[in-house]
Amino acid sequence: MNILAFESSCDETAAAVVADGRVIRSNVIASSVDVHALYGGVVPELASRAHVEAIAPVASRALADAGLALSDIDAVAVTYAPGLIGAVLVGVNFAKSVALAANKPLVPVHHVRGHIAANYLTHPDLTPPFLCLCVSGGTTAIVHVKDYTEMEVLGSTRDDAVGECFDKVARVLGLPYPGGKYLDELAQTGCDTAYPLPGAHVHDAPMDLSFSGLKTAVINLVHNAQQKGADLSLPDLAASFSKAVSDALIPRVLHAAAETGCRQIAVAGGVAANSRIRADLETACGAAGLRLFLPSLPLCGDNAAMIGAQGYFELLAGHTADASLNAYATRDLAQG
Ligand code: KG4
């Protein structure tokens, strides 16, 4: 079954064709990140305008790359939540029109469920149940994936998402936007014990996290050094920060595994590309006898192939929508 999928929740306009939830037949992404980099963050109105311009050509390219016509498509899937509302609306309205024109089912997909499904594309043998550490620009959560469309959030951040924290710390270190990957590169040459930083502990909630204290600690350290004219090693600070994030995430994943009895661990979202988190998870899961599934690097960030993968399973579960489908800025992952 071929699904034509769309993703437009932030600054990537993406379309893809995915077969049976597991095989990518095409995967096209047009990013407006260069425009937002001028402002140090995503400007929602500019993102929406870029989606309007890009979505039709991106859709045509996705069909052409797959060697298919619209009539060969079995369903149309689209991210309908969460995200920048104007941006999500562009994808939802375009997908509705395509589904109507092609007379095919319309499948709404939760963006974070899509990130989780990127693992089905990388690992054909991964089947639920498993735990998924979801780490992106907008989400930080440990999710129990009980079945393809049945999920429970076991713990999440109480304030900043981990990607947001990476980007703000990168900005204060003078790195370009979006800074996560630049900070990751810088950290690889630094000493991770040079700057002791606070953890992300939340009292009485062993699977929840709080990153605002860690972020503020780094920002204060940099500002204090600037005021005193003291030298800071940026690679050491990047490495110490990356270690603090990883040290916050990994024990919570292990705790969730012990609580649920899950022996399979997956990771999802843009921050799943982080080399420190990937390496530490490999070590920790190896030591605990847990099987680790990491999405391939190109599928960590926003893309439509992951929406096509999850769309397939949502369709099998009968989760379709009609032309009244709306876009939502926030939506509970467990609700779908
Ligand atoms: O999943 P994503 O593309 O968009 C959302 O759905 O939020 O995630 C984007 C986030 C940004 O904060 C970006 O800086 C971060 O993922 N990111 C990284 C790395 N690559 C991307 N953070 C840390 N290390 C990386 N290598």
Side-chain angles (χ1 to χ4, degrees), residues 101-289:
N103 196 24
K104 300 294 177 190
L106 175 66
V107 186
V109 176
H110 190 288
H111 179 74
V112 180
R113 287 187 175 209
H115 273 303
I116 294 170
N119 287 284
Y120 302 138
L121 299 167
T122 308
H123 305 285
D125 56 334
L126 173 63
T127 55
F130 59 89
L131 289 179
C132 191
L133 173 64
C134 299
V135 274
S136 71
T139 304
T140 301
I142 299 170
V143 179
H144 188 187
V145 182
K146 298 176 178 177
D147 207 340
Y148 291 103
T149 61
E150 194 195 336
M151 303 182 198
E152 182 186 352
V153 177
L154 301 176
S156 57
T157 181
R158 296 285 179 94
D159 38 56
D160 294 347
V162 69
E164 191 185 341
C165 193
F166 263 102
D167 292 344
K168 295 223 168 102
V169 166
R171 184 159 66 188
V172 87
L173 299 189
L175 300 171
Y177 172 85
K181 71 172 180 193
Y182 300 105
L183 194 150
D184 189 5
E185 280 164 22
L186 188 65
Q188 286 167 30
T189 59
C191 165
D192 65 8
T193 52
Y195 297 100
L197 293 168
H201 181 71
V202 178
H203 182 62
D204 279 348
M207 285 186 269
D208 281 350
L209 298 125
S210 164
F211 284 108
S212 63
L214 173 59
K215 177 188 73 183
T216 306
V218 179
I219 292 172
N220 287 345
L221 215 143
V222 173
H223 287 167
N224 283 338
Q226 283 167 347
Q227 281 162 6
K228 290 180 190 155
D231 277 343
L232 270 180
S233 160
L234 298 188
D236 287 358
L237 191 48
S240 301
F241 170 74
S242 303
K243 171 178 160 37
V245 170
S246 186
D247 287 353
L249 294 172
I250 288 169
R252 283 163 177 80
V253 173
L254 297 180
H255 182 85
E259 288 285 307
T260 56
C262 268
R263 309 305 297 161
Q264 305 193 106
I265 311 293
V267 194
V271 185
N274 183 266
S275 60
R276 175 70 193 241
I277 296 170
R278 288 172 90 94
D280 286 355
L281 273 170
E282 269 172 8
T283 307
C285 289

Side-chain angles (χ1 to χ4, degrees), residues 84-95:
L84 301 171
I85 191 66
V88 185
L89 262 172
V90 175
V92 165
N93 284 333
F94 192 84

